[in-house]
């Protein structure tokens, strides 16, 4: 029997997968091929990675009732994890660490609307 807490966790997990799929499709419509979803390195995981010309975009996906609520869930620690994990991913690319890179955050609200913040940094 599934407990309410486990059911909630399962629902969140599947909602996260669906959100990542929506984001990958959005970038695909812009002509960017998906290189990986939930790519795991030694420092953590990157939700979606797409090819943008010769460069790569690492995308952190956040889902909440509102875009503002989703944005509040992006922390400097998470961004640092993406940078560290991204450096590891770049070792799989032909240009390695010389690959052009940006980090985007995709915010998804409860009805599936997406707002992408391009080229985020840890600077406030």
């Amino acid at each position: 029997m599934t407990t309410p807490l486990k059911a909630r966790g399962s629902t969140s997990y599947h909602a996260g997968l669906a959100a990542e799929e929506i984001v990958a499709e959005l970038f695909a419509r812009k002509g960017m091929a998906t290189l990986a979803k939930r790519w795991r390195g030694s420092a953590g995981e990157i939700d979606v990675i797409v090819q943008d010309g010769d460069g790569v975009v690492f995308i952190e996906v956040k889902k909440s009732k509102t875009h503002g609520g989703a944005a509040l869930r992006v922390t400097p620690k998470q961004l640092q994890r993406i940078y560290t994990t991204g450096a590891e991913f770049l070792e799989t690319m032909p240009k390695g660490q010389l690959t052009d890179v940006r980090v985007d955050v995709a915010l998804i609200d409860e009805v599936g609307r997406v707002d992408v913040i391009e080229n985020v940094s840890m600077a406030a």
Side-chain angles (χ1 to χ4, degrees), residues 2 7-8 12 16 22 33-34 38 42 45-46 58-60 68 73 76 90 95 98 100 103 107 111 113 121:
T2 303
R8 203 171 340 152
S12 294
I22 289 168
T34 299
R38 295 193 169 205
S42 59
E45 182 178 275
I46 299 175
F58 300 126
I59 307 162
E60 177 70 12
R73 297 178 54 222
L90 291 178
K95 290 183 179 178
L98 298 176
D100 288 332
V103 176
L107 310 171
V111 295
R113 288 182 301 232
S121 71

Side-chain angles (χ1 to χ4, degrees), residues 7-87:
R8 203 171 340 152
S10 177
T11 300
S12 294
Y13 172 78
H14 289 290
L17 287 178
E20 291 165 6
E21 192 59 39
I22 289 168
V23 169
E25 289 175 14
L26 174 71
F27 279 82
R29 285 193 301 272
K30 294 179 180 183
M32 297 180 212
T34 299
L35 298 176
K37 293 180 194 168
R38 295 193 169 205
W39 192 86
R40 182 158 290 283
S42 59
E45 182 178 275
I46 299 175
D47 294 332
V48 180
I49 303 172
V50 298
Q51 183 88 44
D52 184 10
D54 289 336
V56 173
V57 182
F58 300 126
I59 307 162
E60 177 70 12
V61 179
K62 291 294 184 190
K63 185 174 184 322
S64 191
K65 288 184 179 186
T66 66
H67 289 150
L72 290 173
R73 297 178 54 222
V74 180
T75 66
K77 184 177 179 179
Q78 286 177 318
L79 291 175
Q80 185 58 54
R81 173 190 46 81
I82 292 168
Y83 299 144
T84 302
T85 304

